[in-house]
Short mmCIF file of all heavy atoms in Angstrom, two decimals:
data_model
loop_
_atom_site.label_atom_id
_atom_site.label_comp_id
_atom_site.label_asym_id
_atom_site.label_seq_id
_atom_site.Cartn_x
_atom_site.Cartn_y
_atom_site.Cartn_z
N MET A 27 0.83 -1.17 0.00
CA MET A 27 0.00 0.00 0.00
C MET A 27 0.87 1.24 0.00
O MET A 27 1.90 1.28 0.65
CB MET A 27 -0.87 0.03 1.25
CG MET A 27 -2.15 -0.72 1.12
SD MET A 27 -3.18 -0.37 2.54
CE MET A 27 -3.55 -2.03 2.99
N ALA A 28 0.41 2.23 -0.68
CA ALA A 28 1.11 3.51 -0.69
C ALA A 28 0.90 4.20 0.65
O ALA A 28 -0.14 4.09 1.27
CB ALA A 28 0.59 4.38 -1.81
N THR A 29 1.90 4.90 1.10
CA THR A 29 1.79 5.63 2.34
C THR A 29 1.94 7.12 2.08
O THR A 29 2.54 7.53 1.08
CB THR A 29 2.86 5.20 3.37
OG1 THR A 29 4.14 5.40 2.81
CG2 THR A 29 2.68 3.74 3.75
N PHE A 30 1.36 7.92 2.96
CA PHE A 30 1.51 9.36 2.88
C PHE A 30 1.35 9.93 4.28
O PHE A 30 0.88 9.26 5.19
CB PHE A 30 0.48 9.97 1.91
CG PHE A 30 -0.95 9.84 2.37
CD1 PHE A 30 -1.60 10.92 2.96
CD2 PHE A 30 -1.66 8.66 2.22
CE1 PHE A 30 -2.91 10.81 3.38
CE2 PHE A 30 -2.98 8.54 2.64
CZ PHE A 30 -3.60 9.63 3.22
N ARG A 31 1.77 11.16 4.44
CA ARG A 31 1.67 11.81 5.74
C ARG A 31 0.47 12.75 5.76
O ARG A 31 0.21 13.46 4.80
CB ARG A 31 2.94 12.59 6.05
CG ARG A 31 4.13 11.67 6.22
CD ARG A 31 5.17 12.25 7.13
NE ARG A 31 6.28 11.33 7.28
CZ ARG A 31 6.38 10.42 8.26
NH1 ARG A 31 5.43 10.35 9.16
NH2 ARG A 31 7.42 9.64 8.33
N ASP A 32 -0.25 12.71 6.88
CA ASP A 32 -1.37 13.64 7.06
C ASP A 32 -0.82 15.06 7.05
O ASP A 32 0.16 15.35 7.75
CB ASP A 32 -2.06 13.35 8.40
CG ASP A 32 -3.24 14.28 8.61
OD1 ASP A 32 -4.27 14.07 7.95
OD2 ASP A 32 -3.11 15.20 9.44
N PRO A 33 -1.40 15.94 6.24
CA PRO A 33 -0.84 17.28 6.12
C PRO A 33 -0.90 18.11 7.41
O PRO A 33 -0.09 19.00 7.62
CB PRO A 33 -1.66 17.93 5.01
CG PRO A 33 -2.85 17.08 4.83
CD PRO A 33 -2.52 15.73 5.35
N GLU A 34 -1.85 17.81 8.28
CA GLU A 34 -1.98 18.59 9.51
C GLU A 34 -1.13 18.03 10.65
O GLU A 34 -0.53 18.78 11.41
CB GLU A 34 -3.44 18.64 9.95
CG GLU A 34 -4.31 19.45 9.01
CD GLU A 34 -5.76 19.50 9.46
OE1 GLU A 34 -6.03 19.19 10.64
OE2 GLU A 34 -6.61 19.83 8.62
N THR A 35 -1.10 16.70 10.80
CA THR A 35 -0.42 16.11 11.95
C THR A 35 0.92 15.47 11.62
O THR A 35 1.72 15.25 12.52
CB THR A 35 -1.31 15.02 12.58
OG1 THR A 35 -1.51 13.97 11.63
CG2 THR A 35 -2.64 15.59 13.02
N GLY A 36 1.14 15.12 10.36
CA GLY A 36 2.37 14.47 9.98
C GLY A 36 2.39 12.97 10.26
O GLY A 36 3.38 12.30 10.07
N VAL A 37 1.25 12.41 10.70
CA VAL A 37 1.16 10.98 10.99
C VAL A 37 1.16 10.21 9.68
O VAL A 37 0.49 10.57 8.71
CB VAL A 37 -0.13 10.69 11.80
CG1 VAL A 37 -0.35 9.19 11.96
CG2 VAL A 37 -0.08 11.37 13.14
N LEU A 38 1.94 9.11 9.64
CA LEU A 38 2.02 8.27 8.47
C LEU A 38 0.75 7.47 8.32
O LEU A 38 0.31 6.80 9.25
CB LEU A 38 3.23 7.34 8.56
CG LEU A 38 3.60 6.56 7.32
CD1 LEU A 38 3.98 7.50 6.18
CD2 LEU A 38 4.75 5.62 7.62
N LEU A 39 0.12 7.51 7.15
CA LEU A 39 -1.14 6.82 6.86
C LEU A 39 -0.98 5.94 5.62
O LEU A 39 -0.09 6.18 4.80
CB LEU A 39 -2.27 7.83 6.61
CG LEU A 39 -2.56 8.83 7.72
CD1 LEU A 39 -3.50 9.90 7.21
CD2 LEU A 39 -3.15 8.12 8.91
N ASN A 40 -1.86 4.96 5.49
CA ASN A 40 -1.92 4.13 4.27
C ASN A 40 -3.01 4.66 3.38
O ASN A 40 -4.10 4.98 3.83
CB ASN A 40 -2.24 2.67 4.61
CG ASN A 40 -1.09 1.97 5.27
OD1 ASN A 40 0.06 2.29 5.01
ND2 ASN A 40 -1.39 1.03 6.12
N HIS A 41 -2.73 4.72 2.11
CA HIS A 41 -3.72 5.15 1.13
C HIS A 41 -4.32 3.90 0.48
O HIS A 41 -3.60 3.11 -0.12
CB HIS A 41 -3.09 6.04 0.07
CG HIS A 41 -4.06 6.51 -0.96
ND1 HIS A 41 -5.03 7.43 -0.67
CD2 HIS A 41 -4.20 6.17 -2.25
CE1 HIS A 41 -5.74 7.64 -1.77
NE2 HIS A 41 -5.26 6.89 -2.74
N ILE A 42 -5.62 3.73 0.62
CA ILE A 42 -6.30 2.57 0.02
C ILE A 42 -6.64 2.91 -1.42
O ILE A 42 -7.38 3.86 -1.69
CB ILE A 42 -7.57 2.21 0.81
CG1 ILE A 42 -7.20 1.85 2.24
CG2 ILE A 42 -8.33 1.07 0.14
CD1 ILE A 42 -8.38 1.65 3.16
N THR A 43 -6.10 2.12 -2.33
CA THR A 43 -6.31 2.41 -3.75
C THR A 43 -7.40 1.55 -4.36
O THR A 43 -7.88 1.86 -5.43
CB THR A 43 -5.00 2.20 -4.53
OG1 THR A 43 -4.54 0.86 -4.32
CG2 THR A 43 -3.93 3.17 -4.07
N VAL A 44 -7.78 0.45 -3.69
CA VAL A 44 -8.81 -0.44 -4.21
C VAL A 44 -9.97 -0.45 -3.23
O VAL A 44 -9.78 -0.56 -2.03
CB VAL A 44 -8.28 -1.88 -4.36
CG1 VAL A 44 -9.38 -2.82 -4.82
CG2 VAL A 44 -7.11 -1.92 -5.31
N GLN A 45 -11.19 -0.30 -3.76
CA GLN A 45 -12.38 -0.39 -2.90
C GLN A 45 -13.38 -1.31 -3.57
O GLN A 45 -13.75 -1.10 -4.71
CB GLN A 45 -12.99 0.98 -2.68
CG GLN A 45 -12.12 1.89 -1.86
CD GLN A 45 -12.78 3.21 -1.54
OE1 GLN A 45 -13.84 3.52 -2.04
NE2 GLN A 45 -12.14 3.98 -0.69
N ARG A 46 -13.79 -2.35 -2.85
CA ARG A 46 -14.75 -3.30 -3.37
C ARG A 46 -16.00 -3.30 -2.49
O ARG A 46 -15.90 -3.31 -1.28
CB ARG A 46 -14.16 -4.71 -3.37
CG ARG A 46 -13.02 -4.90 -4.32
CD ARG A 46 -12.52 -6.35 -4.28
NE ARG A 46 -11.53 -6.61 -5.28
CZ ARG A 46 -10.22 -6.54 -5.07
NH1 ARG A 46 -9.76 -6.23 -3.88
NH2 ARG A 46 -9.37 -6.78 -6.03
N SER A 47 -17.17 -3.30 -3.13
CA SER A 47 -18.40 -3.37 -2.35
C SER A 47 -18.83 -4.82 -2.17
O SER A 47 -19.67 -5.11 -1.32
CB SER A 47 -19.51 -2.57 -3.03
OG SER A 47 -19.73 -3.07 -4.32
N SER A 48 -18.28 -5.72 -2.97
CA SER A 48 -18.57 -7.15 -2.81
C SER A 48 -17.34 -7.93 -3.27
O SER A 48 -16.48 -7.40 -3.96
CB SER A 48 -19.80 -7.55 -3.62
OG SER A 48 -19.54 -7.38 -5.00
N LEU A 49 -17.27 -9.18 -2.85
CA LEU A 49 -16.15 -10.02 -3.22
C LEU A 49 -16.63 -11.10 -4.19
O LEU A 49 -17.58 -11.82 -3.92
CB LEU A 49 -15.54 -10.69 -1.98
CG LEU A 49 -14.93 -9.77 -0.93
CD1 LEU A 49 -14.42 -10.60 0.24
CD2 LEU A 49 -13.82 -8.93 -1.52
N GLY A 50 -15.93 -11.22 -5.30
CA GLY A 50 -16.19 -12.30 -6.24
C GLY A 50 -15.54 -13.58 -5.74
O GLY A 50 -14.83 -13.58 -4.72
N GLU A 51 -15.74 -14.66 -6.44
CA GLU A 51 -15.19 -15.94 -6.00
C GLU A 51 -13.66 -15.93 -5.91
O GLU A 51 -13.11 -16.47 -4.96
CB GLU A 51 -15.68 -17.09 -6.89
CG GLU A 51 -15.31 -18.45 -6.35
CD GLU A 51 -15.69 -18.67 -4.87
OE1 GLU A 51 -16.78 -18.28 -4.45
OE2 GLU A 51 -14.85 -19.25 -4.13
N PRO A 52 -12.94 -15.30 -6.86
CA PRO A 52 -11.47 -15.27 -6.71
C PRO A 52 -11.04 -14.54 -5.43
O PRO A 52 -10.14 -15.00 -4.72
CB PRO A 52 -10.99 -14.52 -7.95
CG PRO A 52 -12.08 -14.69 -8.95
CD PRO A 52 -13.34 -14.74 -8.15
N GLU A 53 -11.68 -13.42 -5.14
CA GLU A 53 -11.34 -12.67 -3.93
C GLU A 53 -11.71 -13.44 -2.67
O GLU A 53 -10.99 -13.41 -1.67
CB GLU A 53 -12.04 -11.30 -3.91
CG GLU A 53 -11.52 -10.33 -4.94
CD GLU A 53 -12.23 -10.45 -6.27
OE1 GLU A 53 -13.18 -11.26 -6.39
OE2 GLU A 53 -11.84 -9.73 -7.22
N ARG A 54 -12.83 -14.16 -2.71
CA ARG A 54 -13.25 -14.98 -1.56
C ARG A 54 -12.22 -16.09 -1.31
O ARG A 54 -11.88 -16.39 -0.17
CB ARG A 54 -14.64 -15.57 -1.80
CG ARG A 54 -15.73 -14.50 -1.84
CD ARG A 54 -17.05 -15.06 -2.36
NE ARG A 54 -17.65 -16.00 -1.46
CZ ARG A 54 -18.48 -15.66 -0.47
NH1 ARG A 54 -18.80 -14.40 -0.28
NH2 ARG A 54 -19.00 -16.58 0.31
N ALA A 55 -11.72 -16.69 -2.38
CA ALA A 55 -10.71 -17.74 -2.24
C ALA A 55 -9.42 -17.18 -1.64
O ALA A 55 -8.79 -17.82 -0.80
CB ALA A 55 -10.43 -18.38 -3.61
N VAL A 56 -9.04 -15.98 -2.07
CA VAL A 56 -7.84 -15.35 -1.51
C VAL A 56 -8.06 -15.06 -0.03
O VAL A 56 -7.16 -15.29 0.79
CB VAL A 56 -7.50 -14.06 -2.29
CG1 VAL A 56 -6.46 -13.23 -1.56
CG2 VAL A 56 -7.03 -14.40 -3.68
N ALA A 57 -9.23 -14.57 0.33
CA ALA A 57 -9.53 -14.28 1.74
C ALA A 57 -9.41 -15.55 2.59
O ALA A 57 -8.81 -15.53 3.67
CB ALA A 57 -10.93 -13.68 1.87
N ARG A 58 -9.96 -16.65 2.10
CA ARG A 58 -9.87 -17.92 2.84
C ARG A 58 -8.42 -18.39 2.96
O ARG A 58 -7.99 -18.86 4.02
CB ARG A 58 -10.75 -18.99 2.17
CG ARG A 58 -12.24 -18.72 2.34
CD ARG A 58 -13.09 -19.88 1.86
NE ARG A 58 -13.04 -20.06 0.42
CZ ARG A 58 -13.91 -19.53 -0.43
NH1 ARG A 58 -14.89 -18.77 -0.01
NH2 ARG A 58 -13.80 -19.75 -1.72
N SER A 59 -7.66 -18.23 1.89
CA SER A 59 -6.26 -18.63 1.91
C SER A 59 -5.46 -17.80 2.91
O SER A 59 -4.66 -18.34 3.68
CB SER A 59 -5.67 -18.49 0.50
OG SER A 59 -4.30 -18.74 0.52
N LEU A 60 -5.66 -16.49 2.89
CA LEU A 60 -4.94 -15.62 3.82
C LEU A 60 -5.32 -15.93 5.26
O LEU A 60 -4.46 -15.93 6.15
CB LEU A 60 -5.24 -14.15 3.49
CG LEU A 60 -4.63 -13.61 2.19
CD1 LEU A 60 -5.19 -12.22 1.88
CD2 LEU A 60 -3.13 -13.59 2.26
N TYR A 61 -6.58 -16.22 5.50
CA TYR A 61 -7.04 -16.55 6.86
C TYR A 61 -6.38 -17.84 7.35
O TYR A 61 -5.94 -17.92 8.49
CB TYR A 61 -8.56 -16.66 6.88
CG TYR A 61 -9.12 -16.80 8.27
CD1 TYR A 61 -9.17 -15.70 9.12
CD2 TYR A 61 -9.60 -18.02 8.73
CE1 TYR A 61 -9.69 -15.81 10.41
CE2 TYR A 61 -10.11 -18.14 10.00
CZ TYR A 61 -10.16 -17.03 10.84
OH TYR A 61 -10.67 -17.17 12.10
N ARG A 62 -6.30 -18.84 6.46
CA ARG A 62 -5.64 -20.10 6.83
C ARG A 62 -4.16 -19.89 7.15
O ARG A 62 -3.58 -20.61 7.94
CB ARG A 62 -5.79 -21.13 5.71
CG ARG A 62 -7.14 -21.80 5.66
CD ARG A 62 -7.13 -23.00 4.73
NE ARG A 62 -6.73 -22.67 3.37
CZ ARG A 62 -7.55 -22.31 2.41
NH1 ARG A 62 -8.84 -22.21 2.64
NH2 ARG A 62 -7.10 -22.03 1.20
N ARG A 63 -3.55 -18.88 6.50
CA ARG A 63 -2.14 -18.58 6.75
C ARG A 63 -1.93 -17.73 8.00
O ARG A 63 -0.80 -17.40 8.32
CB ARG A 63 -1.54 -17.86 5.54
CG ARG A 63 -1.34 -18.81 4.37
CD ARG A 63 -0.57 -18.12 3.26
NE ARG A 63 -1.52 -17.72 2.24
CZ ARG A 63 -1.25 -16.84 1.28
NH1 ARG A 63 -0.09 -16.24 1.23
NH2 ARG A 63 -2.15 -16.54 0.38
N GLY A 64 -3.02 -17.38 8.68
CA GLY A 64 -2.88 -16.68 9.96
C GLY A 64 -3.14 -15.20 9.95
O GLY A 64 -2.96 -14.54 10.97
N TYR A 65 -3.53 -14.64 8.81
CA TYR A 65 -3.84 -13.20 8.78
C TYR A 65 -5.15 -12.93 9.50
O TYR A 65 -6.08 -13.73 9.46
CB TYR A 65 -3.97 -12.71 7.33
CG TYR A 65 -2.65 -12.59 6.62
CD1 TYR A 65 -2.11 -13.66 5.93
CD2 TYR A 65 -1.94 -11.39 6.63
CE1 TYR A 65 -0.90 -13.56 5.27
CE2 TYR A 65 -0.73 -11.28 5.97
CZ TYR A 65 -0.22 -12.36 5.29
OH TYR A 65 0.98 -12.25 4.64
N LYS A 66 -5.24 -11.79 10.15
CA LYS A 66 -6.47 -11.37 10.83
C LYS A 66 -7.45 -10.82 9.81
O LYS A 66 -7.04 -10.30 8.76
CB LYS A 66 -6.15 -10.30 11.87
CG LYS A 66 -5.29 -10.82 13.00
CD LYS A 66 -5.02 -9.72 14.00
CE LYS A 66 -4.16 -10.25 15.13
NZ LYS A 66 -3.88 -9.19 16.11
N GLN A 67 -8.74 -10.92 10.15
CA GLN A 67 -9.77 -10.47 9.22
C GLN A 67 -9.63 -9.01 8.85
O GLN A 67 -9.83 -8.64 7.69
CB GLN A 67 -11.16 -10.72 9.80
CG GLN A 67 -11.56 -12.17 9.80
CD GLN A 67 -13.00 -12.38 10.22
OE1 GLN A 67 -13.82 -11.48 10.13
NE2 GLN A 67 -13.29 -13.56 10.71
N GLN A 68 -9.28 -8.16 9.82
CA GLN A 68 -9.16 -6.74 9.50
C GLN A 68 -8.00 -6.47 8.54
O GLN A 68 -8.08 -5.58 7.70
CB GLN A 68 -9.05 -5.87 10.76
CG GLN A 68 -7.84 -6.15 11.62
CD GLN A 68 -8.12 -7.10 12.76
OE1 GLN A 68 -8.97 -7.96 12.66
NE2 GLN A 68 -7.40 -6.93 13.85
N HIS A 69 -6.94 -7.27 8.62
CA HIS A 69 -5.82 -7.10 7.69
C HIS A 69 -6.19 -7.60 6.30
O HIS A 69 -5.82 -6.99 5.29
CB HIS A 69 -4.58 -7.82 8.21
CG HIS A 69 -4.08 -7.25 9.50
ND1 HIS A 69 -3.35 -7.99 10.40
CD2 HIS A 69 -4.20 -6.02 10.05
CE1 HIS A 69 -3.05 -7.24 11.44
NE2 HIS A 69 -3.57 -6.03 11.25
N ILE A 70 -6.92 -8.71 6.25
CA ILE A 70 -7.38 -9.23 4.95
C ILE A 70 -8.29 -8.21 4.30
O ILE A 70 -8.18 -7.93 3.10
CB ILE A 70 -8.10 -10.58 5.13
CG1 ILE A 70 -7.13 -11.62 5.70
CG2 ILE A 70 -8.71 -11.04 3.82
CD1 ILE A 70 -7.81 -12.89 6.16
N ALA A 71 -9.20 -7.63 5.07
CA ALA A 71 -10.12 -6.62 4.55
C ALA A 71 -9.35 -5.44 3.96
O ALA A 71 -9.67 -4.95 2.87
CB ALA A 71 -11.07 -6.16 5.63
N ALA A 72 -8.33 -4.99 4.66
CA ALA A 72 -7.54 -3.86 4.16
C ALA A 72 -6.82 -4.23 2.87
O ALA A 72 -6.76 -3.44 1.93
CB ALA A 72 -6.53 -3.42 5.23
N MET A 73 -6.28 -5.45 2.80
CA MET A 73 -5.56 -5.88 1.60
C MET A 73 -6.50 -5.98 0.40
O MET A 73 -6.10 -5.71 -0.74
CB MET A 73 -4.88 -7.22 1.84
CG MET A 73 -3.65 -7.12 2.70
SD MET A 73 -2.75 -8.67 2.75
CE MET A 73 -3.34 -9.34 4.29
N LEU A 74 -7.75 -6.40 0.64
CA LEU A 74 -8.70 -6.57 -0.45
C LEU A 74 -9.51 -5.30 -0.74
O LEU A 74 -10.30 -5.28 -1.68
CB LEU A 74 -9.66 -7.73 -0.13
CG LEU A 74 -9.04 -9.12 -0.16
CD1 LEU A 74 -10.04 -10.16 0.32
CD2 LEU A 74 -8.55 -9.46 -1.56
N GLY A 75 -9.35 -4.28 0.09
CA GLY A 75 -10.07 -3.03 -0.14
C GLY A 75 -11.55 -3.14 0.15
O GLY A 75 -12.38 -2.58 -0.56
N THR A 76 -11.91 -3.87 1.20
CA THR A 76 -13.30 -4.04 1.57
C THR A 76 -13.41 -3.95 3.08
O THR A 76 -12.45 -3.59 3.75
CB THR A 76 -13.84 -5.37 1.02
OG1 THR A 76 -15.26 -5.41 1.20
CG2 THR A 76 -13.21 -6.57 1.68
N ASN A 77 -14.57 -4.27 3.64
CA ASN A 77 -14.72 -4.22 5.09
C ASN A 77 -14.70 -5.62 5.68
O ASN A 77 -14.80 -6.62 4.97
CB ASN A 77 -15.99 -3.45 5.49
CG ASN A 77 -17.24 -4.11 4.98
OD1 ASN A 77 -17.43 -5.31 5.09
ND2 ASN A 77 -18.13 -3.32 4.41
N GLN A 78 -14.58 -5.69 7.01
CA GLN A 78 -14.49 -6.98 7.69
C GLN A 78 -15.74 -7.83 7.49
O GLN A 78 -15.66 -9.06 7.50
CB GLN A 78 -14.24 -6.79 9.18
CG GLN A 78 -12.84 -6.40 9.50
CD GLN A 78 -12.65 -6.27 10.99
OE1 GLN A 78 -12.60 -5.16 11.49
NE2 GLN A 78 -12.52 -7.36 11.69
N GLY A 79 -16.88 -7.20 7.33
CA GLY A 79 -18.13 -7.95 7.11
C GLY A 79 -18.06 -8.79 5.86
O GLY A 79 -18.50 -9.94 5.83
N ARG A 80 -17.53 -8.22 4.79
CA ARG A 80 -17.39 -8.98 3.53
C ARG A 80 -16.42 -10.14 3.69
O ARG A 80 -16.65 -11.24 3.17
CB ARG A 80 -16.91 -8.07 2.40
CG ARG A 80 -17.82 -6.91 2.12
CD ARG A 80 -18.99 -7.33 1.27
NE ARG A 80 -19.78 -6.16 0.97
CZ ARG A 80 -21.08 -6.07 1.19
NH1 ARG A 80 -21.74 -7.09 1.69
NH2 ARG A 80 -21.74 -4.99 0.90
N VAL A 81 -15.34 -9.91 4.41
CA VAL A 81 -14.36 -10.97 4.64
C VAL A 81 -15.00 -12.07 5.49
O VAL A 81 -14.86 -13.25 5.21
CB VAL A 81 -13.08 -10.43 5.32
CG1 VAL A 81 -12.15 -11.56 5.71
CG2 VAL A 81 -12.37 -9.47 4.37
N ASN A 82 -15.74 -11.68 6.52
CA ASN A 82 -16.41 -12.65 7.37
C ASN A 82 -17.40 -13.49 6.57
O ASN A 82 -17.48 -14.71 6.76
CB ASN A 82 -17.13 -11.94 8.53
CG ASN A 82 -17.61 -12.92 9.56
OD1 ASN A 82 -16.85 -13.78 10.01
ND2 ASN A 82 -18.86 -12.80 9.94
N GLU A 83 -18.12 -12.86 5.65
CA GLU A 83 -19.03 -13.61 4.77
C GLU A 83 -18.26 -14.63 3.93
O GLU A 83 -18.72 -15.74 3.72
CB GLU A 83 -19.78 -12.66 3.85
CG GLU A 83 -20.84 -11.83 4.52
CD GLU A 83 -21.44 -10.79 3.58
OE1 GLU A 83 -21.00 -10.71 2.40
OE2 GLU A 83 -22.32 -10.06 4.02
N ALA A 84 -17.10 -14.24 3.44
CA ALA A 84 -16.29 -15.14 2.62
C ALA A 84 -15.79 -16.32 3.43
O ALA A 84 -15.66 -17.44 2.92
CB ALA A 84 -15.11 -14.39 2.01
N LEU A 85 -15.49 -16.10 4.70
CA LEU A 85 -14.98 -17.17 5.56
C LEU A 85 -16.08 -18.05 6.12
O LEU A 85 -15.82 -19.19 6.49
CB LEU A 85 -14.17 -16.57 6.72
CG LEU A 85 -12.96 -15.72 6.33
CD1 LEU A 85 -12.33 -15.12 7.57
CD2 LEU A 85 -11.96 -16.53 5.54
N ASP A 86 -17.28 -17.54 6.22
CA ASP A 86 -18.38 -18.23 6.87
C ASP A 86 -19.22 -18.99 5.84
O ASP A 86 -20.33 -18.60 5.52
CB ASP A 86 -19.25 -17.23 7.63
CG ASP A 86 -20.20 -17.92 8.58
OD1 ASP A 86 -19.98 -19.09 8.91
OD2 ASP A 86 -21.16 -17.27 8.99
N CYS A 87 -18.68 -20.06 5.32
CA CYS A 87 -19.37 -20.86 4.30
C CYS A 87 -20.35 -21.82 4.95
O CYS A 87 -19.95 -22.76 5.61
CB CYS A 87 -18.36 -21.65 3.48
SG CYS A 87 -17.11 -20.62 2.72
N GLY A 88 -21.62 -21.56 4.78
CA GLY A 88 -22.63 -22.47 5.32
C GLY A 88 -22.97 -22.20 6.77
O GLY A 88 -23.61 -23.02 7.41
N GLY A 89 -22.57 -21.11 7.32
CA GLY A 89 -22.89 -20.79 8.71
C GLY A 89 -21.96 -21.48 9.67
O GLY A 89 -21.53 -22.60 9.46
N ALA A 90 -21.63 -20.82 10.75
CA ALA A 90 -20.78 -21.37 11.83
C ALA A 90 -19.52 -22.01 11.28
O ALA A 90 -19.18 -23.14 11.60
CB ALA A 90 -21.56 -22.32 12.70
N ARG A 91 -18.85 -21.29 10.40
CA ARG A 91 -17.57 -21.73 9.81
C ARG A 91 -17.66 -23.07 9.07
O ARG A 91 -16.81 -23.92 9.20
CB ARG A 91 -16.49 -21.80 10.89
CG ARG A 91 -16.20 -20.48 11.49
CD ARG A 91 -15.19 -19.75 10.62
NE ARG A 91 -14.84 -18.50 11.24
CZ ARG A 91 -15.20 -17.31 10.75
NH1 ARG A 91 -15.90 -17.24 9.67
NH2 ARG A 91 -14.85 -16.22 11.36
N GLY A 92 -18.74 -23.24 8.32
CA GLY A 92 -18.80 -24.36 7.41
C GLY A 92 -19.44 -25.64 7.92
O GLY A 92 -19.54 -26.61 7.19
N ASN A 93 -19.91 -25.68 9.17
CA ASN A 93 -20.50 -26.93 9.65
C ASN A 93 -22.01 -26.99 9.44
O ASN A 93 -22.66 -27.92 9.89
CB ASN A 93 -20.14 -27.20 11.12
CG ASN A 93 -20.68 -26.13 12.05
OD1 ASN A 93 -21.45 -25.28 11.64
ND2 ASN A 93 -20.24 -26.19 13.29
N GLY A 94 -22.60 -25.96 8.77
CA GLY A 94 -24.01 -25.99 8.44
C GLY A 94 -24.93 -25.52 9.56
O GLY A 94 -26.13 -25.47 9.38
N ILE A 95 -24.39 -25.19 10.73
CA ILE A 95 -25.22 -24.73 11.83
C ILE A 95 -25.37 -23.23 11.72
O ILE A 95 -24.40 -22.50 11.66
CB ILE A 95 -24.58 -25.09 13.20
CG1 ILE A 95 -24.44 -26.59 13.32
CG2 ILE A 95 -25.40 -24.50 14.34
CD1 ILE A 95 -23.61 -27.02 14.51
N VAL A 96 -26.61 -22.78 11.66
CA VAL A 96 -26.90 -21.37 11.53
C VAL A 96 -27.56 -20.90 12.82
O VAL A 96 -28.49 -21.53 13.32
CB VAL A 96 -27.82 -21.09 10.32
CG1 VAL A 96 -28.15 -19.63 10.22
CG2 VAL A 96 -27.17 -21.59 9.05
N GLN A 97 -27.08 -19.80 13.37
CA GLN A 97 -27.64 -19.27 14.61
C GLN A 97 -29.06 -18.80 14.34
O GLN A 97 -29.34 -18.10 13.39
CB GLN A 97 -26.81 -18.10 15.11
CG GLN A 97 -27.34 -17.51 16.39
CD GLN A 97 -26.47 -16.37 16.90
OE1 GLN A 97 -25.45 -16.06 16.30
NE2 GLN A 97 -26.86 -15.76 17.98
N PRO A 98 -30.01 -19.18 15.23
CA PRO A 98 -31.39 -18.74 15.03
C PRO A 98 -31.52 -17.24 15.25
O PRO A 98 -30.71 -16.64 15.96
CB PRO A 98 -32.17 -19.53 16.09
CG PRO A 98 -31.16 -19.89 17.11
CD PRO A 98 -29.86 -20.03 16.37
N SER A 99 -32.54 -16.67 14.69
CA SER A 99 -32.77 -15.24 14.84
C SER A 99 -33.14 -14.90 16.27
O SER A 99 -33.80 -15.67 16.96
CB SER A 99 -33.90 -14.82 13.91
OG SER A 99 -34.25 -13.48 14.13
N LEU A 100 -32.70 -13.74 16.72
CA LEU A 100 -33.04 -13.30 18.07
C LEU A 100 -34.40 -12.63 18.12
O LEU A 100 -34.97 -12.46 19.19
CB LEU A 100 -31.96 -12.33 18.59
CG LEU A 100 -30.56 -12.92 18.71
CD1 LEU A 100 -29.57 -11.83 19.11
CD2 LEU A 100 -30.54 -14.03 19.74
N PHE A 101 -34.93 -12.26 16.99
CA PHE A 101 -36.22 -11.55 16.96
C PHE A 101 -37.22 -12.30 16.13
O PHE A 101 -37.00 -12.89 15.18
CB PHE A 101 -36.06 -10.14 16.39
CG PHE A 101 -35.10 -9.33 17.21
CD1 PHE A 101 -33.80 -9.13 16.78
CD2 PHE A 101 -35.48 -8.76 18.41
CE1 PHE A 101 -32.92 -8.37 17.52
CE2 PHE A 101 -34.61 -8.01 19.16
CZ PHE A 101 -33.32 -7.81 18.72
#
């Protein structure tokens, strides 16, 4: 990621150049691969230019991490 300094504070920041509103199957596969390699969801989200919710959806195949158990609704 490209970095730049905030003009007011001088703090080093990352510039996000890619923004995705949804993940296609290739991106979902990359998210699963990165997660298996030990990356945290927030880091995967930053690398893919999306939010943690999208990454969580990619990792949560079939509910409850793939075992088919879906939490019942609270309402």
Side-chain angles (χ1 to χ4, degrees):
M27 274 189 231
T29 59
F30 66 101
R31 294 208 179 268
D32 181 74
E34 292 180 17
T35 63
V37 173
L38 190 62
L39 303 169
N40 288 330
H41 180 70
I42 299 173
T43 57
V44 177
Q45 292 185 352
R46 293 182 174 95
S47 59
S48 64
L49 297 178
E51 189 51 42
E53 290 88 3
R54 293 168 68 88
V56 168
R58 289 189 292 266
S59 174
L60 290 171
Y61 188 74
R62 282 192 303 269
R63 287 188 259 164
Y65 286 89
K66 295 180 180 180
Q67 287 187 23
Q68 62 264 30
H69 296 154
I70 297 169
M73 285 188 262
L74 290 174
T76 190
N77 62 46
Q78 284 182 257
R80 301 279 183 233
V81 173
N82 191 49
E83 288 173 358
L85 300 176
D86 193 18
C87 304
R91 297 275 183 250
N93 62 9
I95 299 170
V96 178
Q97 180 178 358
S99 174
L100 298 175
F101 300 102

